[in-house]
Structure formats: structure tokens, C-alpha cells
Amino acid sequence: GKWVEVRGDKWLVARLGSVASGRARGEALIEMGLAPDADVPAEKVEKLRALVFANAILRGVKFATGPQVTYSKDLGLQVYQDPELRDLRDALLAEASGDYTKDAVAKAALLGNC
């Protein structure tokens, strides 16, 4: 993953197509009572996306005003599901689909985004 700054806070996001995302998808399907390779019923798609986001895409947070707060799955689910946080969720998902090459991650580190 890589640290990105959104709304003044730093978030650790993993790439959408990462191994962890695939693993989280399989685990979420099992948690929802489906086989890991099952086709997802339309009514369960958003729940699956929320679980993958909370368990694999969003990995950490450093709040500017609350550095003692640690990341949790519940926080990830809140960011994904709360309509008032939709712009934050969309920004984090955009970052998760961004450049994860070694050069991009190193550049982010040099710019202090770690």
C-alpha cells in the first residue's frame, strides 16, 4: 500500500487488484454465506464491496487531529457506507486504482506522504 493525504488526514490504501483484495473478497463471500468463487447476487454486491474496502483496500489512518486513533474494520465500513463520507470514499478508491509502481511509492515517501 501507500500513504495518501485526503482532507488533511493520511490514509494507507492498497491497490484495488492486490492479492489482499482477492483474499478479502473470498473471505467476504464466505462471511456472507456464499462460496468463494460464487456469482454475487445483485442485492449483496454493495455489502461485498464494503467488506473488501474495509478489510483490504483501506489499511491505516493517521488523523491530523487524533493521531492516537488506529484503523479498524468498523472505521473502514463507516467510510464506505456513510453517505456524508462519499467524497472521502471516492477519493480513497481513486487512490487505490492509481500508480503503485516502486517509483510512485518512493516519490510519495520523499514528499512526506508516509
Side-chain angles (χ1 to χ4, degrees), residues 81-99:
Q81 296 171 330
D82 188 332
E84 292 183 19
L85 299 176
R86 179 165 284 171
D87 62 328
L88 173 61
R89 178 194 74 185
D90 291 347
L92 292 170
L93 284 171
E95 291 289 347
S97 63
D99 189 353

Side-chain angles (χ1 to χ4, degrees), residues 16-112:
L16 283 175
S18 69
V19 172
S21 296
R23 188 176 16 242
R25 184 181 192 283
E27 291 169 359
L29 287 169
I30 291 169
E31 183 179 319
M32 294 182 336
L34 301 169
D37 59 349
D39 289 330
V40 183
E43 68 274 6
K44 294 188 177 191
V45 168
E46 275 306 301
K47 181 176 181 178
L48 175 63
R49 289 179 181 160
L51 288 169
V52 171
F53 179 84
N55 289 322
I57 302 303
L58 199 52
R59 309 293 297 185
V61 65
K62 295 178 185 174
F63 288 119
T65 59
Q68 74 282 4
V69 175
T70 58
Y71 178 75
S72 68
K73 175 183 170 180
D74 290 338
L75 175 61
L77 289 172
Q78 180 182 1
V79 169
Y80 190 89
Q81 296 171 330
D82 188 332
E84 292 183 19
L85 299 176
R86 179 165 284 171
D87 62 328
L88 173 61
R89 178 194 74 185
D90 291 347
L92 292 170
L93 284 171
E95 291 289 347
S97 63
D99 189 353
Y100 277 77
T101 61
K102 283 185 180 181
D103 289 342
V105 173
K107 181 180 178 183
L110 287 173
L111 294 174

